[in-house]
Structures are given as structure tokens and as C-alpha cells.
Amino acid sequence: MEGSITDGAPHQIAFERTSYNGELRVDGKRKNGVIPRAPGRGSPRFALESNDDLDSCSNGICIGGAPASVLQDESLGFNLDFVGCFSDILLERKPYDSSSITTVGNVPPCAESRTMSPSHFFNGAAFLVPDVVLPDSSETQLDLTFKSSRQTGTLLTLLDSEGAALLVISIDNHRLLIRSSAAGTETQELFPNEGATPFHFCDGNDHFLSVWIVSGSASITVDSNESELTMELASDPVSLRIGDQFLGCLDNPFIDGVPVSLNNPRVNSGVLLESCPKVTF
């Protein structure tokens, strides 16, 4: 991995394991590897050995530090606890219940910061164009957290240099609709994970939209669903529009793992910034 994650700015980290294969993503950059087998065991396992050690973590997962048996294992390549703040922890694609986390030592809450994904309220007719230009790179990742109880509404629109829509992603009852302006393309549907309840995307809970933009196309997934759609784009997007006929709350979007502030937008058509009411919309 190139670059620094010790600059005091928010960064996004994800780890996914399939059998012995693991993928680590830091701010959208991917690194693949193989998890070594434990001696005498036939499946991947945590580095913790004793029940006492496991009791020091939540469900065998240590966040921000680890018991001495792990920290003293030089083969793992680290020996320091973490100093900083965590937010929005997901486990198996679901928000991790912080009330279930066993804390060891002094773990005070971090003060809410404008850079730590505040939510903004969209009243059903509002939209916002952030003062941001999408990077001119071979691959760009957009991430957006949304919650709503309304069955329709546009979440995200990719715009060209003239402000015309290239790709529109909307809620439509129990699915997402993805429309592209590229000639010959048809509207595509993206459904929730298998077993989800009807109207899953408008149940008032947080959901997570990810868009990977490469030259001439965009790939879309939601809630880390294994289903992924790839749509052709008429041209490379240069900016984006958030919301439109959407009733609910949207967090600051992330571009390549870095949050985009919405406090000084290019256009703000009625969005209530940093104020997401704790009610059913």
C-alpha cells in the first residue's frame, strides 16, 4: 500500500476473507494475500489461543488493540496499540453493535467531527451538488450511506462537464434502479441480499452504496451485496449530484476513501445540513 494513513484524516479500511484468501482495501486500494494455516488445524483461525484471551475481545475480534499474546507475537508484524478514532464498523455487512463490544482500559467516545460522516436531511424535493471535481484517474471509488422510509428517490447522479446526467441511481420500492445515458443501454435493477424483507432499501436503516468508476464504465453494488452491476458511461464523469426527490438522510460521500464535505456546496436546493432527525421519515 502506498501513501500515509497517519495524517489525521479519516480513512476507510475493509477486510474480506474467503477460505484462506484475504483482501484488504484501504481507501479503495486493494491488496490480496493468503492467511496461513494454524499448525494442526484445517481451517483459518484467530491468533488467540486461550479462552481468557478470547474473552478480552468481542466475538474473537480485537479492535484498536489486542491481548498480550497477540501483541508479543513478532511474526504478526505489529506490537503497538492503536491511538485514534473508529466509526461505522461493519461485520458480515451489518453495522456492529457497539453496545456488545467488551472494552479493555479507557475507551472514551471520540468527539463528533464534521469529517466523520455527519448526516444531512433531504426533504423530498431537495438536492445538492458538492463543490468537488472527480479525480482523473484509472479507477475512482464512491461510497454513500443512505437511510429512508420513502419508497422512491434518487440517491446519486454522475454528471459530465456540462452538468448533464451520465448515470442515475435511484430507490424504487424493493430495488435500486440504475440508468445510463450511454446509447443502447437499458435500465438495470439491483436487488438486496437474499432473504431481505420487502422494501429493504427504504426500511429507515443505514444502507451502503458503492460505485467504482473506470474509463467508460461504472460498477455498482449496495450493502456489500455479492451482486454487482456494470454500466457503460457515455463519457467520464467530472462531478456528482446528491439526492433528488429523496426523503431521508445521506452521509458525506467518500471519494477514494476520503470524505467529501457538503458544507460549502456548489448548489444546495433545500438540504438541511448536519441535521438528520431521529424519526421515521
Side-chain angles (χ1 to χ4, degrees):
M1 295 290 182
E2 298 179 355
S4 173
I5 57 173
T6 59
D7 53 8
H11 294 277
Q12 191 175 56
I13 297 175
F15 179 77
E16 183 172 344
R17 178 183 68 82
T18 303
S19 186
Y20 295 101
N21 299 311
E23 180 180 88
L24 175 67
R25 297 191 298 273
V26 180
D27 294 342
K29 298 179 176 63
R30 305 183 182 190
K31 183 74 172 180
N32 295 313
V34 177
I35 302 171
R37 297 174 183 238
R41 300 195 184 190
S43 61
R45 53 110 176 164
F46 295 110
L48 307 180
E49 293 289 352
S50 71
N51 290 332
D52 290 340
D53 285 337
L54 287 172
D55 288 342
S56 299
C57 296
S58 299
N59 300 320
I61 299 174
C62 301
I63 300 172
S69 62
V70 175
L71 295 179
Q72 294 172 3
D73 187 344
E74 296 180 357
S75 67
L76 295 175
F78 59 86
N79 58 7
L80 295 175
D81 287 344
F82 175 79
V83 178
C85 295
F86 288 99
S87 66
D88 301 326
I89 301 171
L90 302 182
L91 180 62
E92 294 290 345
R93 304 170 184 164
K94 298 179 181 179
Y96 196 37
D97 182 8
S98 60
S99 65
S100 69
I101 296 178
T102 301
T103 60
V104 178
N106 184 26
V107 187
C110 281
E112 181 71 15
S113 166
R114 289 189 174 185
T115 62
M116 295 298 287
S117 299
S119 289
H120 313 284
F121 181 63
F122 290 70
N123 65 10
F127 67 91
L128 188 147
V129 178
D131 188 15
V132 63
V133 176
L134 295 179
D136 183 15
S137 60
S138 59
E139 181 177 342
T140 300
Q141 180 176 342
L142 295 175
D143 295 291
L144 182 67
T145 301
F146 66 92
K147 60 180 176 181
S148 176
S149 294
R150 185 170 176 172
Q151 297 175 13
T152 58
T154 298
L155 298 172
L156 179 68
T157 305
L158 301 183
L159 306 173
D160 66 12
S161 58
E162 302 298 323
L166 295 172
L167 189 77
V168 181
I169 303 175
S170 304
I171 300 176
D172 185 76
N173 293 322
H174 58 294
R175 60 188 176 174
L176 294 187
L177 292 184
I178 298 96
R179 301 178 178 89
S180 172
S181 64
T185 59
E186 298 181 353
T187 298
Q188 299 292 324
E189 301 173 326
L190 191 60
F191 291 91
N193 293 311
E194 185 177 353
T197 60
F199 310 113
H200 175 74
F201 294 131
C202 46
D203 58 4
N205 295 318
D206 284 336
H207 296 280
F208 309 95
L209 175 71
S210 293
V211 182
W212 289 271
I213 304 169
V214 297
S215 181
S217 68
S219 298
I220 304 98
T221 188
V222 63
D223 292 341
S224 299
N225 195 334
E226 294 179 358
S227 298
E228 180 178 291
L229 288 175
T230 299
M231 299 286 286
E232 182 182 351
L233 298 177
S235 62
D236 290 334
V238 299
S239 62
L240 52 104
R241 182 168 65 233
I242 308 294
D244 195 1
Q245 304 302 312
F246 172 80
L247 179 62
C249 293
L250 299 170
D251 282 3
N252 284 350
F254 281 73
I255 297 180
D256 290 335
V258 179
V260 176
S261 174
L262 302 185
N263 288 290
N264 296 296
R266 206 174 301 162
V267 179
N268 181 354
S269 176
V271 179
L272 189 59
L273 293 173
E274 295 190 352
S275 182
C276 182
K278 296 180 179 180
V279 297
T280 300
F281 307 118

